[in-house]
Amino acid sequence: MVLYALISGILIGLFYGFAALGLSLAFGVLRVVNIAHGDVIVLGSYLAYELSTQAHLNPLIAIPVAIPVAVVIGLAFYRLIAPSLGRSKDPEMLSLILFFGVSQVIEALATIGFTVNQDTLLTGPVGNGSVQILGQTFPNYEPVAAAVAVPGALLVMLYLYRSRLGLATRALMSSRADALLAGIDVGRTSALSFGIALALAASAGVLSIYVNGGVNPSQGADLTTTAFAVVVIGGLGNPGGALAGGLVFGLAEQFAQSYEPNWAGLVPYALLLAVMLAKPEGLFGRRARYA
Amino acid sequence: MKVHHRLLGLTGVCAAAAGVVAVAATQAQAVHTRVSSKAPKQIIVGTLYSSSGAFAPDSIPELDGIKFWVNQMNKSGGVYVGAFHKKIHVKLVAYNDQSSPTTAATLYSQLITQNHVNIMIPDFGSVLTAPAVAIAQEHHQLLFDATASGTVFFTPNNPYIVGSGIRNSAFWPDPLVQYLVAKHINKVAVLYDANDFDAAQAATINSGLKAHGITPVYYQSTPTTTTTYGTLINSIAATHPQAVIELGYNTNDIPFLNTLTTSGQHFKMVFTVFPGQLPQLFQQDVGTKGLKYTYTYATPPLLPYAKVNLGLNTPQFVRAFRKAFPSVPVTYPAMAGYGTALVAQEALDKAGLFTQLSMRRALANVSGKVTTAIGQFKITKDGAEEGEFLPVGQYLPTRGGTTIKIIYPKSLATATAKYPAPTS
Amino acid sequence: MPNVAAGASGQRATSAQIWRRRAIDLASVLVPTVLFALARTVDSNLLLLVSIMVYVVLAQGVNVIYGFTGYLPFGYVGFFGAGAYGAYVAVAHLGANAVEATALGGVAAVLVGVVLIPLLRLRGAYFAIASLAAALALSSIVSNPAVTSVTNGPYGADLTRVFSSGGSYWTAVVIVALAMVSVVALRRSRLGLLLRAVRADQVSASCAGVNVVAARTGAWLLSALLAGLAGAVYAWSISVFYPTAVFDTTISLFAIVFALFGGVGTVLGPVVGAVVLYYVYNAIGVNDPQYFQLIFGVVIVIIALFLPGGLAALALGARRRLGARRGLGGAQPVGGSDVR
């Protein structure tokens, strides 16, 4: 049981980390609090569902389909809201309220388009079999989710640390004013970061339909809360931190389910509160990043 | 200090004004009575439904069941009202509460105070019925409780509620417990969700088994929001149970069954609540492979009542309902809506006076003597339904799929149980 | 904002201005209270009226904490639920009558507020999410089967012993009055001035000797009290409820949107927001909930992008334009309609 909870916690935790990556990026770079993050995940799930049931494609194909679409939407949408954000005295709070509205819109549209019923995918991402790891048996989507999450996070890291745009993004993350002074096109860099953030959320949705046992339009709020918990635990704006936060969250949840299922619902929230109060910069956040 | 003085003054003036208004308004209230000797133009049936949210999959078919009854009545010239010795046209008023108890509360109030309904049928399930109980009692409005299984609703000093559809969920597992005992299944694992509906069933199973000297090897609750079951299934497997009983809503039963198929674990017996009530939904969301050999409550129409003395019998209902609502599958919630409406029909028929209390007394008199398409109507002194009985069903393979057959009790059985479930 | 400084300190105001201000204050408390008290003669659906009053109080509670301090509580429903269950525990275990239970519900919410004071160390989105996590944690504790002996756990609470629709209605009217008095007093008091100073510029406010922490804590506990009383009177008015009903996060959502729609930081904005939107909700939302949610979402987006001051700002803008046309360009807004 210990071993099972440990492995399952790691696999699901990596998924949680991946699901939170977009939120972390948007907040870390743009100071935009995307409350609709979970709803974008839900849209990703529906894309996978439709591709699988209507076009009979492997649901994982939804990831390459979703990425360009999400980036384009993100670019356009950010351009639309940037003036208001720029004008506001408190852009962080403004974005919080704005995306709260966006999340209501997405949920309403999803309800109109896909009905309220839970939709599930009966064919797994790689067949329906289970996988043996260290003598324990797991549904195969758990390792698949982890196997998508890790390279996904690595790609984001490569982008941030090995590309010119990434360098600009990191400059923006540490100081908007300095980035402007250094001649960085803040508008373009910001919009692109927002697009990438949405693409990450939609990709996570393709895995979420499996990990969360299906998709329904009202799932978004819970997913946002989970993602936020992960981001807060891991520290902001740092892909590695998000994955680490996901691991802590996943392990806590899975061990609670193993030993105290009665209280398993409380654990993520208690953990979130404890981390926020004890170490607001996150367990893996480095203050130096912002200096 | 200035502020405090002003505040005090302000509060004083407010209190005085509120007092004056209170007296005036109370006196202005007209005394509203529900006793009427003149026959109304129409009988208003009021109900709520949820087009969205957690209860929508059950609530929408329940409303369809009621609609079906209303159409039937009006086709035959209306519902017979004994107090006036004639048939009266039926009008249905249905509001949408979106699965929100807060919204439901104001809508129940609206049905009573503004639509002045004659027959009131609350929405599906105890969570949405709860807000109706106190307000109905206050306004002396009888609730025809179709599906609520709440343990706190039925009290000796409240005659304004009558269980007319689904029985209190605390009684549901009785046949299941008998089956487990008869089969000498001694290692039982129970995983239930922390809500009234499921916790009441779990408590019954726990005490029922303990009465036979059996202590469940696993007995845990989990939040109703749970959707990941891998670790829970693994912990259950570690106790080596001979039977696993998962008590949730359909949003829990579906991921539980789906995770089980892919988890690599195999149990000799798996029981869940909702496949028997919403078989079409489970066929779509879980599929044949995940459902095969699992157990559930066999509800009508799976458990047909051929001999009825009120309304259509079960097979007739299934046929007529399919014709009337071709796109809606015939499910237990739909039948519960129909069955409840039949009880209301009986109340209107047999009540000597056209009052809510007279209807309630009439139903007490016919308790145990009426059988409808969903079974016997029999109530306790407090009004709780106790006539209904939910046998144990099992998904057994048929050509090209799998169907639920009744396997216990023997008197109703349509097949023999396949225990332990074969690995396939 | 010279008018705010003059209005709050009251030093340079003439006595006519002072009386005018007092009259406006009194009217902003009395008008909503009396209208709600009279509403039952027009609308016989008392529970609908109680629900609206509950949302008016909640929107004012959001106003107190968000409008005056900038802390946006996504988990505001936690106090509401604490109030409802506080009332249940008072009736079931302490033998309290309904009015005592309502008061104790308010106390229960304040106690929860005290426990959560450390959350005020967080800012912005962190605070919003932390308060939501706290509310969800509280809900998960209250509904746990392990605490059945105290809260009756998942089996639901029953207050039918003290049920009285008239009693809960009048108590709700009194709570509305209390909420209005609180907001008026807060706007006029030193505390309110401090809070707004802090909101405008925390650093210089604290340099000027403002005890920022104490001021904020005061507003936090006041808003907890209002939500607790609202939760308790709501619990009383329906009397049979489950944890999911009183910890429903859409209650926070509604309260926040109503407050923002009407205009936070004002006295009457949240009242108008709650009454208008809740009636609209009851008229459209009930039949076409998805479309209502869609409209709701669009309204929030519009407010965020174009109308951060809500309806109140719109009204104020209209009046300013009107004044300018009449050649009274310099006229300053007074009383409840000035924004921040």
Side-chain angles (χ1 to χ4, degrees):
Chain A
M1 239 160 78
V2 182
L3 191 61
Y4 190 94
L6 185 73
I7 299 171
S8 185
I10 291 172
L11 296 176
I12 293 182
L14 288 170
F15 161 75
Y16 285 147
F18 183 60
L21 215 53
L23 189 73
S24 170
L25 194 67
F27 195 29
V29 178
L30 313 168
R31 312 304 294 174
V32 158
V33 187
N34 186 1
I35 290 292
H37 183 77
D39 298 280
V40 179
I41 296 180
V42 167
L43 292 181
S45 294
Y46 275 117
L47 181 67
Y49 179 77
E50 293 297 320
L51 278 183
S52 173
T53 53
Q54 303 295 325
H56 305 288
L57 294 171
N58 185 308
L60 290 183
I61 293 174
I63 295 179
V65 174
I67 288 173
V69 177
V71 169
V72 169
I73 293 177
L75 280 171
F77 192 76
Y78 190 79
R79 293 283 183 184
L80 195 72
I81 61 169
S84 293
L85 288 175
R87 251 183 280 127
S88 173
K89 264 196 299 186
D90 188 353
E92 190 179 312
M93 192 56 78
L94 174 76
S95 70
L96 189 72
I97 296 166
L98 173 71
F99 282 100
F100 182 50
V102 172
S103 93
Q104 298 302 309
V105 171
I106 297 180
E107 188 181 329
L109 291 177
T111 309
I112 294 165
F114 303 104
T115 79
V116 291
N117 285 343
Q118 179 101 349
D119 284 316
T120 56
L121 280 181
L122 293 183
T123 45
V126 285
N128 274 336
S130 43
V131 175
Q132 295 268 336
I133 301 171
L134 300 178
Q136 308 283 321
T137 317
F138 297 89
N140 71 27
Y141 57 76
E142 290 191 14
V144 167
V148 173
V150 174
L154 283 176
L155 278 177
V156 175
M157 273 195 206
L158 271 181
Y159 163 75
L160 281 179
Y161 293 95
R162 289 282 176 273
S163 78
R164 286 195 47 175
L165 266 172
L167 184 70
T169 311
R170 279 185 299 138
L172 194 57
M173 206 185 292
S174 61
S175 164
R176 195 184 169 86
D178 292 351
L180 270 170
L181 281 178
I184 290 169
D185 184 345
V186 170
R188 199 180 62 157
T189 314
S190 301
L192 186 63
S193 300
F194 188 69
I196 293 174
L198 290 193
L200 286 167
S203 310
V206 178
L207 305 170
S208 160
I209 192 169
Y210 289 111
V211 178
N212 288 312
V215 57
N216 67 67
S218 49
Q219 247 173 357
D222 281 349
L223 290 169
T224 302
T225 315
T226 305
F228 220 98
V230 167
V231 166
V232 167
I233 292 168
L236 281 170
N238 168 5
L243 281 196
L247 284 177
V248 172
F249 190 91
L251 286 168
E253 185 195 71
Q254 297 302 313
F255 272 97
Q257 275 199 350
S258 280
Y259 294 99
E260 277 298 332
N262 284 3
W263 295 101
L266 183 61
V267 169
Y269 307 127
L271 192 67
L272 171 67
L273 289 173
V275 170
M276 273 193 178
L277 294 175
K279 208 163 177 289
E281 73 271 21
L283 290 181
F284 309 97
R286 279 166 289 170
R287 283 205 158 254
R289 296 195 68 81
Y290 305 104
Chain B
M1 283 319 280
K2 243 181 176 173
V3 171
H4 289 253
H5 276 284
R6 267 209 312 262
L7 253 187
L8 222 61
L10 206 61
T11 319
V13 175
C14 290
V20 171
V21 172
V23 173
T26 314
Q27 282 173 349
Q29 276 282 300
V31 183
H32 182 69
T33 52
R34 313 197 128 256
V35 188
S36 161
S37 52
K38 233 177 76 190
K41 280 207 188 67
Q42 51 190 5
I43 297 293
I44 304 172
V45 176
T47 190
L48 301 188
Y49 66 101
S50 321
S51 76
S52 59
F55 299 103
D58 304 278
S59 176
I60 294 169
E62 186 196 321
L63 178 67
D64 289 334
I66 299 170
K67 276 185 191 160
F68 174 83
W69 175 82
V70 171
N71 292 343
Q72 271 224 321
M73 284 296 114
N74 287 339
K75 252 187 261 166
S76 68
V79 61
Y80 181 78
V81 182
F84 306 119
H85 308 290
K86 66 170 183 181
K87 283 188 169 182
I88 302 177
H89 184 81
V90 184
K91 186 188 164 199
L92 179 67
V93 179
Y95 295 124
N96 183 354
D97 60 43
Q98 307 150 48
S99 298
S100 153
T102 325
T103 309
T106 62
L107 294 175
Y108 285 129
S109 182
Q110 187 159 332
L111 284 176
I112 296 174
T113 59
Q114 282 165 13
N115 299 105
H116 303 294
V117 297
N118 306 106
I119 301 289
M120 179 141 153
I121 304 175
D123 199 349
F124 179 90
S126 30
V127 173
L128 293 176
T129 300
V133 176
I135 180 163
Q137 184 179 5
E138 186 210 14
H139 289 272
H140 307 300
Q141 176 83 45
L142 182 58
L143 283 180
F144 291 86
D145 182 359
T147 57
S149 49
T151 37
V152 292
F153 300 165
F154 299 94
T155 50
N157 51 13
N158 180 9
Y160 294 100
I161 182 165
V162 59
S164 8
I166 296 179
R167 195 180 184 189
N168 186 323
S169 68
F171 297 100
W172 289 19
D174 286 341
L176 172 64
V177 170
Q178 290 162 16
Y179 174 74
L180 293 170
V181 171
K183 270 275 186 182
H184 304 289
I185 297 173
N186 297 329
K187 296 177 78 177
V188 180
V190 179
L191 174 68
Y192 66 99
D193 286 354
N195 61 62
D196 183 38
F197 172 75
D198 294 311
Q201 296 175 61
T204 304
I205 294 173
N206 195 24
S207 59
L209 289 176
K210 281 194 172 137
H212 291 90
I214 303 169
T215 308
V217 292
Y218 183 95
Y219 186 79
Q220 296 282 1
S221 80
T222 177
T224 311
T225 49
T226 306
T227 52
T228 55
Y229 283 93
T231 302
L232 289 166
I233 288 171
N234 186 266
S235 315
I236 292 169
T239 63
H240 304 290
Q242 296 163 310
V244 176
I245 299 166
E246 189 271 336
L247 306 164
Y249 282 117
N250 46 9
T251 44
N252 308 107
D253 295 354
I254 289 170
F256 174 82
L257 289 169
N258 278 334
T259 309
L260 191 56
T261 17
T262 50
S263 70
Q265 300 290 349
H266 179 78
F267 299 117
K268 291 175 176 164
M269 172 179 175
V270 173
F271 183 98
T272 54
V273 177
F274 273 88
Q277 294 183 45
L278 300 168
Q280 292 81 0
L281 182 71
F282 276 74
Q283 189 61 48
Q284 189 195 321
D285 278 3
V286 179
T288 304
K289 188 164 177 262
L291 290 171
K292 205 159 46 175
Y293 301 116
T294 68
Y295 296 71
T296 184
Y297 296 116
T299 54
L302 299 168
L303 168 66
Y305 289 91
K307 271 193 203 152
V308 300
N309 54 12
L310 181 62
L312 303 173
N313 73 16
T314 314
Q316 286 167 341
F317 172 80
V318 172
R319 275 197 301 277
F321 187 85
R322 275 204 187 120
K323 227 174 119 192
F325 296 88
S327 61
V328 183
V330 187
T331 56
Y332 189 43
M335 298 208 61
Y338 175 65
T340 301
L342 286 178
V343 170
Q345 177 188 334
E346 182 74 0
L348 288 167
D349 181 349
K350 298 284 156 65
L353 291 169
F354 187 56
T355 66
Q356 300 286 317
L357 265 192
S358 179
M359 285 200 274
R360 174 69 175 77
R361 274 193 297 271
L363 287 178
N365 288 336
V366 300
S367 165
K369 297 171 200 158
V370 170
T371 303
T372 69
I374 55 168
Q376 193 188 36
F377 169 72
K378 190 174 175 211
I379 52 172
T380 64
K381 260 206 338 279
D382 298 343
E385 166 74 66
E386 61 169 357
E388 197 198 27
F389 178 81
L390 297 179
V392 183
Q394 186 181 20
Y395 273 96
L396 292 169
T398 52
R399 245 166 15 119
T402 175
T403 15
I404 303 171
K405 299 275 187 197
I406 297 172
I407 52 100
Y408 189 86
K410 282 238 163 58
S411 55
L412 299 169
T414 53
T416 11
K418 194 93 172 145
Y419 179 89
T423 40
S424 59
Chain C
M1 306 172 221
N3 61 306
V4 172
S9 65
Q11 271 164 5
R12 268 161 304 176
T14 65
S15 82
Q17 277 173 328
I18 291 171
W19 277 107
R20 190 165 164 206
R21 212 157 54 219
R22 281 186 193 168
I24 287 169
D25 285 353
L26 191 67
S28 14
V29 175
L30 277 184
V31 170
T33 310
V34 170
L35 285 181
F36 276 121
L38 291 172
R40 64 176 292 170
T41 54
V42 186
D43 193 333
S44 54
N45 186 347
L46 289 195
L47 211 48
L48 175 67
L49 296 175
V50 171
S51 298
I52 293 175
M53 287 191 273
V54 161
Y55 277 115
V56 165
V57 174
L58 288 175
Q60 287 295 26
V62 169
N63 190 15
V64 167
I65 185 69
Y66 178 63
F68 287 85
T69 70
Y71 282 87
L72 187 61
F74 273 0
Y76 197 49
V77 68
F79 295 135
F80 183 84
Y85 267 94
Y88 167 73
V89 169
V91 170
H93 300 301
L94 309 176
N97 67 36
V99 174
E100 291 162 359
T102 308
L104 286 173
V107 172
V110 171
L111 290 179
V112 171
V114 169
V115 173
L116 296 181
I117 283 176
L119 293 189
L120 294 174
R121 279 163 41 195
L122 306 167
R123 288 294 294 164
Y126 282 90
F127 173 83
I129 298 288
S131 78
L132 178 62
L136 293 170
L138 188 63
S139 161
S140 134
I141 292 169
V142 165
S143 62
N144 203 290
V147 295
T148 300
S149 59
V150 185
T151 64
N152 212 24
Y155 300 101
D158 180 7
L159 293 173
T160 39
R161 199 161 56 74
V162 297
F163 179 80
S164 151
S165 66
S168 51
Y169 177 83
W170 290 115
T171 310
V173 173
V174 172
I175 295 171
V176 167
L178 194 72
M180 298 310 299
V181 170
S182 309
V183 176
V184 168
L186 194 60
R187 266 188 76 87
R188 293 292 177 227
S189 70
R190 211 178 115 71
L191 179 68
L193 183 67
L194 293 184
L195 287 171
R196 274 179 292 166
V198 172
R199 212 191 152 175
D201 184 352
Q202 179 168 350
V203 178
S204 30
S206 54
C207 289
V210 172
N211 187 342
V212 176
V213 175
R216 248 180 223 155
T217 309
W220 174 241
L221 295 182
L222 177 60
S223 82
L225 175 70
L226 290 178
L229 292 172
V233 81
Y234 180 74
W236 183 18
S237 73
I238 56 167
S239 283
V240 184
F241 59 92
Y242 290 95
T244 44
V246 292
F247 286 101
D248 183 352
T249 42
T250 49
I251 295 173
S252 300
L253 189 158
F254 275 26
I256 291 170
V257 173
F258 293 167
L260 289 176
F261 180 70
V264 287
T266 66
V267 173
L268 288 177
V271 181
V272 176
V275 173
V276 170
L277 282 188
Y278 199 77
Y279 258 108
V280 171
Y281 167 73
N282 243 53
I284 322 173
V286 165
N287 292 318
D288 287 304
Q290 290 83 31
Y291 292 97
F292 180 75
Q293 192 182 28
L294 191 63
I295 296 167
F296 219 51
V298 171
V299 166
I300 301 170
V301 171
I302 291 173
I303 290 176
L305 289 181
F306 308 112
L307 200 64
L311 282 186
L314 210 61
L316 184 62
R319 212 161 73 184
R320 277 208 179 122
R321 274 194 297 279
L322 212 66
R325 211 174 301 156
R326 284 186 195 154
L328 304 168
Q332 280 170 359
V334 280
S337 59
D338 55 342
V339 182
R340 277 173 222 157

